[in-house]
């Protein structure tokens, strides 16, 4: 077993990070923040919008802001993160602000989606009420004699 991690961070269109000499990776999922060291057990987890940190062999700390993704750890050495969007940077405060903006945008999108779902539901109920209104053809077909005109 190696004393280093191989870290790969990809988007659908690019490889953002391909680091063969990382000795620690720090990430965050819905359960909280966690670290990965060489020899870590296999893992599969979903990452929300967050900042990934890793330390390379030379002691430098690197950062990548993610717009959510999927992280796997295999064989205690291979750490792979597939994300929708990512930004590499050295300014942690700036990247954390970017993540907060991503989270706010996701929250706004979720709110808009809920509002639209409520509108569609209300429209469907109104249509059903209109259809089932007494006296409307089709609503009380069973009470009309066969062949009778409304």
């Amino acid at each position: 077993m190696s004393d280093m991690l191989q870290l790969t961070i990809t988007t659908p269109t690019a490889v953002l990070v391909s680091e063969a000499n990382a000795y620690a990776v720090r990430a965050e999922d819905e359960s909280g923040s966690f670290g990965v060291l060489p020899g870590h057990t296999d893992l599969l987890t979903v990452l929300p919008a967050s900042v990934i940190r890793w330390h390379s062999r030379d002691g430098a700390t690197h950062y990548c802001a993610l717009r959510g993704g999927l992280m796997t750890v295999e064989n205690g050495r291979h750490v792979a993160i597939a994300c929708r969007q990512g930004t590499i940077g050295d300014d942690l405060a700036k990247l954390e602000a970017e993540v907060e903006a991503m989270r706010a945008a996701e929250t706004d999108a979720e709110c808009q989606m809920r509002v639209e779902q409520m509108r569609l539901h209300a429209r469907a109920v109104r249509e059903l009420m209109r259809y089932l209104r007494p006296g409307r053809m089709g609503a009380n077909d069973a009470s009309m004699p066969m062949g009778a005109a409304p």
Side-chain angles (χ1 to χ4, degrees), residues 69-123:
L70 186 68
M71 177 180 184
T72 60
V73 178
E74 294 179 0
N75 302 322
R77 175 164 161 46
H78 302 282
V79 179
I81 300 172
C83 60
R84 293 179 228 150
Q85 177 184 348
T87 304
I88 303 292
D90 294 327
D91 187 347
L92 180 59
K94 181 179 177 183
L95 291 174
E96 286 178 337
E98 185 176 325
V99 165
E100 285 305 314
M102 287 181 208
R103 288 179 179 168
E106 286 176 5
T107 299
D108 288 346
E110 288 171 4
C111 286
Q112 289 174 355
M113 186 172 37
R114 278 194 300 274
V115 166
E116 187 59 29
Q117 286 174 342
M118 288 172 40
R119 280 187 190 138
L120 289 171
H121 182 262
R123 182 188 221 173

Side-chain angles (χ1 to χ4, degrees), residues 28-91:
E28 176 182 330
D29 65 9
E30 292 299 325
S31 67
S33 181
F34 62 93
V36 176
L37 296 171
H40 196 284
T41 189
D42 287 359
L43 171 72
L44 172 66
T45 189
V46 175
L47 304 174
S50 57
V51 176
I52 302 298
R53 298 165 174 86
W54 69 96
H55 301 284
S56 57
R57 176 178 273 166
D58 63 7
T61 302
H62 306 279
Y63 307 99
C64 182
L66 305 177
R67 186 179 162 224
L70 186 68
M71 177 180 184
T72 60
V73 178
E74 294 179 0
N75 302 322
R77 175 164 161 46
H78 302 282
V79 179
I81 300 172
C83 60
R84 293 179 228 150
Q85 177 184 348
T87 304
I88 303 292
D90 294 327
D91 187 347

